[in-house]
Amino acid sequence: MNAETVKKASAVYFTLLKEKVIDESSEHFQTYFEPEVRQTVLLLADESGTYIIEAPKRIHLVVQPTGSTFATNFTHMKDKHKQVETKKHFHLMSVIIMAFLATIDRNQAAKIRTKREGISYYALERQVNDLILNWESILKSEPTYGEEKRIDMKDVVTTWKFMEVDTDDYGLKKGNRRTRIGLIASSMRLLETEGLIVILDRDDIPKAIPKQELFERIEYLYHDYDRYELFKKLMTTEEEEHAENTSN
């Protein structure tokens, strides 16, 4: 491993650390695939607890769930993202994001439709509400169901039910994180910050458009985790399975 290789690998790795994704238009994309550079970048990633995803036209850098130099606890997440107020809100935001992922990760038709039309915040709110009502019903008959699945279902259900229900005038509510739509907006901003979605019509009826980078994360990373597949199954309700249009 010579100095030039280390220099190139460091440039690639720290660009990934900053940008999270580099595509084929980047000078670092071709450099990465030089065998010695690639080996060194993978070594840097492994040593720092990060993980490289090689997609056909992009390279992603993601943080491993545990043991990473860059992994953040709840306190750090709260400091970085002001919309994350409490652990209860953090857990609920995680459910909102998973509901979004489950919607776009159903099948090829869902992928094409959501890439073209997106998912409106109001459609996502209805979906999450159906999910919460379903969980509430399950917990009445199986009080320990959430504990068995290692999900804080009781707090999620309670937090959601007591949040203010928004009017159709998003403009009046968009800054209020304590409303359902406000929390959905905060959750989508987390994905936007990671460069995984585009948010359109912010001042009207906002919608989230998944980017190809998000589908690549799902395909090359999330599908390898049993926990993701479990969560995805928990996100479904009978109503969702029959829903055909999530864009409005």
Side-chain angles (χ1 to χ4, degrees):
M1 187 186 302
N2 58 44
E4 184 63 23
T5 297
V6 173
K7 182 179 179 181
K8 287 182 178 181
S10 297
V12 172
Y13 183 75
F14 285 106
T15 299
L16 279 168
L17 200 58
K18 179 182 178 181
E19 305 293 338
K20 301 180 181 66
V21 179
I22 57 176
D23 61 26
E24 59 183 351
S25 66
S26 169
E27 61 178 312
H28 299 295
F29 185 83
Q30 296 300 330
T31 303
Y32 170 80
F33 286 102
E34 295 177 17
E36 290 187 356
V37 172
R38 178 177 177 273
Q39 183 178 2
T40 306
V41 172
L42 292 175
L43 179 62
L44 287 169
D46 186 61
E47 289 295 321
S48 60
T50 52
Y51 181 76
I52 300 289
I53 299 174
E54 298 174 0
K57 296 183 179 182
R58 272 170 288 272
I59 303 166
H60 302 244
L61 181 74
V62 296
V63 176
Q64 293 181 7
T66 58
S68 172
T69 305
F70 303 103
T72 57
N73 58 26
F74 169 73
T75 302
H76 291 157
M77 177 68 79
K78 183 178 178 181
D79 290 340
K80 183 178 179 181
H81 301 286
K82 299 302 181 184
Q83 60 265 40
V84 182
E85 294 186 349
T86 67
K87 284 190 177 181
K88 290 182 180 180
H89 284 88
F90 175 69
H91 291 156
L92 183 50
M93 289 170 73
S94 298
V95 169
I96 290 169
I97 290 172
M98 271 305 309
F100 178 78
L101 295 180
T103 299
I104 69 174
D105 190 27
R106 288 178 181 171
N107 49 47
Q108 188 64 18
K111 176 179 177 180
I112 293 171
R113 184 177 65 251
T114 54
K115 283 182 72 173
R116 182 179 65 246
E117 301 174 359
I119 301 174
S120 79
Y121 288 8
Y122 290 105
L124 189 54
E125 190 272 341
R126 291 192 296 269
Q127 181 181 336
V128 173
N129 192 58
D130 287 343
L131 173 68
I132 296 299
L133 292 176
N134 186 45
W135 283 6
E136 183 180 32
S137 176
I138 292 173
L139 289 172
K140 285 179 180 178
S141 58
E142 300 179 58
T144 61
Y145 185 77
E147 296 171 13
E148 292 170 5
K149 301 298 182 182
R150 292 185 294 151
I151 299 173
D152 197 3
M153 281 188 181
K154 290 181 181 178
D155 276 348
V156 166
V157 169
T158 301
T159 303
W160 178 263
K161 286 189 66 178
F162 284 95
M163 293 191 80
E164 183 179 346
V165 179
D166 305 271
T167 67
D168 288 336
D169 189 352
Y170 175 72
L172 296 175
K173 300 288 185 179
K174 64 182 179 180
N176 190 345
R177 297 190 295 269
R178 292 178 176 82
T179 68
R180 292 179 179 181
I181 291 294
L183 194 67
I184 286 172
S186 296
S187 303
M188 293 299 100
R189 279 198 295 273
L190 293 180
L191 293 179
E192 183 186 36
T193 300
E194 293 296 311
L196 300 175
I197 66 170
V198 174
I199 299 174
L200 300 181
D201 303 325
R202 292 176 188 270
D203 296 321
D204 186 14
I205 300 178
K207 61 175 63 176
I209 308 286
K211 296 173 66 175
Q212 182 61 28
E213 286 87 338
L214 180 54
F215 289 109
E216 289 174 355
R217 293 278 181 97
I218 290 171
E219 179 179 356
Y220 294 103
L221 180 64
Y222 302 156
H223 282 173
D224 289 336
Y225 288 100
D226 292 339
R227 187 72 175 159
Y228 171 77
E229 296 298 335
L230 170 64
F231 259 90
K232 196 169 75 167
K233 288 181 180 178
L234 289 172
M235 293 299 117
T236 59
T237 66
E238 291 182 4
E239 290 84 354
E240 287 177 37
E241 290 171 359
H242 292 90
E244 293 183 358
N245 187 358
T246 59
S247 62
N248 297 306

